Amino acid sequence: MSLDPDTLMGPLWTLLAFVGLGWLAARRLAVDPRPIATLLIYLIAPLTFFRGLILGGPTPAYLLITASLFAAACLVALLVSAVARRALPGEEGAVLAFSAGTGNTGYFGLPVALVLLPPEGVTLYLFGVLGVTLYEFTLGFYLSARGRFSVRDSLAKILRLPLIYAFLAALLVEGADLEVPNAVMEGLEVFPPAYTLLGMMIIGMTLGRVSIRQFDWRFIGACVAVRYVFWPLLALGAVLALQATTGLSPALATALLLIGVVPMAANVVVVAMELGMAPEKGALAVLLTTLAAPLLIPFYLGWMLPLISG
């Protein structure tokens, strides 16, 4: 299986257009991105997450994928956090640790998954994405907060995050075999596109306030190395190991590889903005990895897919 770089140009230009709108909003309209970050974290993300779980119809097998990706994201983030604390200032190290456990699996990865995978493979991919998203708003948020706040304050901030309760509510609805009214589900349809639009616009709003002095090659290089070197090798190693031991399906193998090669997550900027921690440097790193994605994703998948299919 091969992936033409042109396949990624549609998602790329759409995302960059949203970034450009955010830049214009910050530069010309003086829009403050901080309230938008709060809105994303405390309202739009939880409702998007709840809707995705309900539509996916979580089963034990699907939830095992979610739990596995959550665990993998947490382990990578903890490893990078231990290293970053020694090499980078507190806030930058915290942002790097958060970014290490996540990627742009939704805004960028989903359109690619729709091209690469059959419908059942897309479902598997989405439940993997849910695990990464759950990491972002639990341990990931905690690691970010620890760059500025105490352990107690960081834990208190996590307990106030509604996405955790949205996850539990979705499991309760499915476990009790309750039916969410169609009118409610139709109303929730507006939240995923709003999540994508505002998430990418925040990058542009943040870049609108960046000066050349904030271009930190050491921080950006570390972000790129984790996202485009460590994660692809980890994904490939995990897939090969699982194929050798459990007989991983081709669709799930491809979904896991895709999660490993997407660019940095826009939520790196959203969380950094909410906590007031180096959002400008995070925005530069996210933008650079997104621009590189149309070249690097076909390269990685073109190299790895024959390995797992042979």
Side-chain angles (χ1 to χ4, degrees):
M1 182 186 297
S2 62
L3 181 63
D4 189 338
D6 290 341
T7 303
L8 304 183
M9 293 312 293
L12 174 65
W13 285 115
T14 300
L15 296 179
L16 290 181
F18 294 161
V19 172
L21 288 174
W23 184 87
L24 286 173
R27 299 286 288 188
R28 302 299 181 185
L29 302 177
V31 175
D32 185 355
R34 287 173 294 182
I36 298 176
T38 301
L39 187 66
L40 279 166
I41 289 173
Y42 290 98
L43 181 62
I44 296 176
L47 292 173
T48 300
F49 195 82
F50 176 82
R51 177 181 178 273
L53 269 174
I54 295 298
L55 290 178
T59 65
Y62 288 160
L63 291 177
L64 179 59
I65 296 172
T66 299
S68 299
L69 264 297
F70 172 75
C74 289
L75 289 173
V76 172
L78 289 171
L79 174 63
V80 172
S81 177
V83 176
R85 281 200 301 265
R86 298 180 177 88
L88 292 170
E91 293 189 2
E92 292 179 9
V95 173
L96 175 61
F98 172 82
S99 72
T102 185
N104 201 336
T105 51
Y107 312 146
F108 198 96
L110 182 56
V112 181
L114 292 171
V115 173
L116 281 180
L117 298 168
E120 63 272 18
V122 174
T123 300
L124 296 172
Y125 175 82
L126 287 173
F127 274 92
V129 170
L130 289 177
V132 175
T133 305
L134 192 60
Y135 151 79
E136 290 179 352
F137 293 100
T138 51
L139 179 66
F141 197 91
Y142 171 80
L143 291 175
S144 297
R146 284 291 291 125
R148 190 170 187 179
F149 302 97
S150 67
V151 172
R152 181 176 179 178
D153 290 342
S154 299
L155 290 174
K157 287 180 177 294
I158 290 178
L159 292 176
R160 289 199 298 267
L161 291 176
L163 189 136
I164 300 172
Y165 306 107
F167 178 74
L168 296 175
L171 294 184
L172 177 62
V173 168
E174 289 297 313
D177 201 23
L178 301 176
E179 184 174 347
V180 180
N182 289 333
V184 174
M185 295 304 295
E186 290 174 2
L188 293 176
E189 289 178 1
V190 302
F191 288 97
Y195 184 56
T196 300
L197 172 63
L198 294 177
M200 297 308 294
M201 283 186 68
I202 277 185
I203 297 175
M205 293 178 193
T206 307
L207 289 172
R209 306 188 301 179
V210 170
S211 67
I212 192 65
R213 291 174 299 177
Q214 291 165 313
F215 202 88
D216 185 341
W217 278 110
R218 184 174 63 163
F219 172 78
I220 292 174
C223 290
V224 171
V226 172
R227 188 61 250 173
Y228 277 144
V229 178
F230 184 82
W231 262 104
L233 294 176
L234 175 65
L236 178 60
V239 166
L240 291 175
L242 289 171
Q243 281 185 326
T245 56
T246 65
L248 204 65
S249 71
L252 180 55
T254 304
L256 294 177
L257 290 181
L258 179 56
I259 290 172
V261 300
V262 294
M264 283 178 64
N267 281 344
V268 171
V269 184
V270 174
V271 171
M273 181 70 65
E274 173 65 16
L275 296 173
M277 296 168 48
E280 294 83 7
K281 293 183 180 181
L284 283 168
V286 170
L287 182 64
L288 290 175
T289 59
T290 302
L291 289 172
L295 296 176
L296 291 179
I297 292 180
F299 167 76
Y300 275 125
L301 292 181
W303 166 57
M304 292 190 290
L305 288 175
L307 293 178
I308 66 170
S309 60

